[in-house]
Amino acid sequence: MKGKLAIVTPAKNEAKNIPNLVKGMAGQTRKPDLWVFINDGSTDDTVRVFNEEKQKHGKALANTEILVVDYEDKDKSYALGPKYSRIIKFGLNKIYAHEKDEKFHYIGILDSDVVPEVAYYRAILDKFEANPKLGIASAAKQQEDYGTEIITSYVNKSFAPSGFRIWKRECLDQTDYTISVSQDSVSAAKAIMMGWKVQSFPELEVSLRQRGAKFGYEYYGKSAYMRHVPYLYVLAGAARMYLEGKKADAKQYINGYNDSKRQKISRIEDPLAIKYFKNRFFYKIIGK
């Protein structure tokens, strides 16, 4: 497989998820060349468990250089806030500082609660090699653990979630990674506007704990407001949910948008990303 791969994993009090995380990485048919594990002020045994699991799977991870680094931040909020992007930026800078004679050709994020299928990185890198304009890629199929059941969901094919995405290095360099609310949406929008393709692939899957739904559909309404999505689009989305029998979700979605507007919460500021989200329906029509 051509090209060097580096992965960033942020973790805060994730001791219970670490064994599956490390086992999943050790089982990959194409492992990263560098894995930066960021301890975000954990108060449990996250680091100890990670180091133990790293030793346990030492043979399988022998060709992966692993850096364990500490990060401290007073901001405790993750959901849609800039905290997450600050941690990832910190990790990216660690990767850049670690480069010597050759740059990493692909850079990705793997959240500590995500376990990708065994051929994940090999398959993703094959996708990049097959399409020179592919800038950001991920799995589309998600097996979400709701505690009492596993629910399968699919990511929009023109989006790649931050928690298990991979960038082609040229795309990451061109779009940059800035500190922002909803940074995964910002970077995806900028990539698309700059001519890159952003795609999730339904034949690829990851397992993870329950995501946005745990915050309720107000979370998605808040996200739409942060991204400057026109209210007409929000109403259309709510109407679709209503017709699908999800009346409570539709109400929460609209309330999340309206409450965020009343509270004047922070929104994305990148002009190119704003342009994309304000005109997303048009860009979908023209296939951008």
Side-chain angles (χ1 to χ4, degrees), residues 77-122:
S77 60
Y78 272 87
L80 295 174
K83 167 70 179 286
Y84 183 83
S85 63
R86 284 199 294 271
I87 297 173
I88 298 302
K89 184 71 172 180
F90 175 80
L92 294 177
N93 287 337
K94 290 292 181 182
I95 290 174
Y96 302 150
H98 204 70
E99 291 177 329
K100 297 175 183 176
D101 298 330
E102 183 181 15
K103 285 187 175 182
F104 288 97
H105 303 84
Y106 305 100
I107 295 177
I109 302 170
L110 181 65
D111 282 354
S112 52
D113 65 319
V114 178
V115 179
E117 60 178 298
V118 296
Y120 189 70
Y121 292 124
R122 179 175 294 279

Side-chain angles (χ1 to χ4, degrees), residues 125-159:
L125 267 58
D126 283 345
K127 299 291 187 184
F128 281 113
E129 292 184 10
N131 183 357
K133 293 307 295 179
L134 182 60
I136 308 175
S138 76
K141 187 176 181 180
Q142 303 177 107
Q143 301 287 4
E144 296 185 75
D145 186 353
Y146 278 64
T148 57
E149 61 180 331
I150 303 296
I151 295 180
T152 300
S153 63
Y154 287 86
V155 178
N156 185 301
K157 66 180 181 180
S158 60
F159 184 64

Side-chain angles (χ1 to χ4, degrees), residues 168-194:
K168 188 173 186 177
R169 179 59 178 271
E170 292 89 340
C171 175
L172 180 57
D173 286 346
Q174 186 177 356
T175 56
D176 196 10
Y177 188 94
T178 56
I179 307 302
S180 172
V181 295
S182 197
Q183 218 295 324
D184 55 347
S185 297
V186 172
S187 55
K190 290 178 68 177
I192 292 170
M193 293 295 281
M194 292 180 178

Side-chain angles (χ1 to χ4, degrees), residues 29-261:
T29 56
R30 199 307 186 188
K31 300 173 183 64
D33 301 280
L34 174 65
W35 188 10
V36 178
F37 182 85
I38 303 173
N39 173 41
D40 175 29
S42 296
T43 56
D44 67 357
D45 292 329
T46 291
V47 175
R48 180 183 64 78
V49 174
F50 181 81
N51 285 328
E52 288 177 353
E53 292 298 316
K54 181 179 65 172
Q55 289 185 334
K56 180 179 177 181
H57 297 279
K59 185 175 181 180
L61 293 169
N63 294 322
T64 297
E65 185 173 2
I66 301 175
L67 299 181
V68 179
V69 295
D70 291 322
Y71 178 88
E72 293 290 342
D73 195 321
K74 294 180 180 179
D75 184 358
K76 305 301 180 183
S77 60
Y78 272 87
L80 295 174
K83 167 70 179 286
Y84 183 83
S85 63
R86 284 199 294 271
I87 297 173
I88 298 302
K89 184 71 172 180
F90 175 80
L92 294 177
N93 287 337
K94 290 292 181 182
I95 290 174
Y96 302 150
H98 204 70
E99 291 177 329
K100 297 175 183 176
D101 298 330
E102 183 181 15
K103 285 187 175 182
F104 288 97
H105 303 84
Y106 305 100
I107 295 177
I109 302 170
L110 181 65
D111 282 354
S112 52
D113 65 319
V114 178
V115 179
E117 60 178 298
V118 296
Y120 189 70
Y121 292 124
R122 179 175 294 279
I124 290 284
L125 267 58
D126 283 345
K127 299 291 187 184
F128 281 113
E129 292 184 10
N131 183 357
K133 293 307 295 179
L134 182 60
I136 308 175
S138 76
K141 187 176 181 180
Q142 303 177 107
Q143 301 287 4
E144 296 185 75
D145 186 353
Y146 278 64
T148 57
E149 61 180 331
I150 303 296
I151 295 180
T152 300
S153 63
Y154 287 86
V155 178
N156 185 301
K157 66 180 181 180
S158 60
F159 184 64
S162 62
F164 43 95
R165 66 162 47 172
I166 304 291
W167 279 273
K168 188 173 186 177
R169 179 59 178 271
E170 292 89 340
C171 175
L172 180 57
D173 286 346
Q174 186 177 356
T175 56
D176 196 10
Y177 188 94
T178 56
I179 307 302
S180 172
V181 295
S182 197
Q183 218 295 324
D184 55 347
S185 297
V186 172
S187 55
K190 290 178 68 177
I192 292 170
M193 293 295 281
M194 292 180 178
W196 293 98
K197 189 171 183 61
V198 177
Q199 187 172 355
S200 59
F201 296 90
E203 67 271 27
L204 301 178
E205 74 173 59
V206 296
S207 300
L208 64 163
R209 65 179 166 214
Q210 186 183 1
R211 286 287 161 128
K214 71 181 178 181
F215 301 106
Y217 271 79
E218 290 184 1
Y219 171 91
Y220 296 110
K222 179 180 180 180
S223 174
Y225 176 77
M226 284 181 166
R227 292 180 283 120
H228 297 265
V229 174
Y231 192 54
L232 181 62
Y233 295 177
V234 174
L235 291 177
R240 184 176 65 253
M241 292 180 208
Y242 189 89
L243 293 174
E244 292 173 350
K246 302 176 182 178
K247 297 180 181 179
D249 292 343
K251 183 178 180 180
Q252 288 181 12
Y253 182 57
I254 292 176
N255 286 343
Y257 187 98
N258 288 334
D259 287 347
S260 298
K261 184 176 181 179

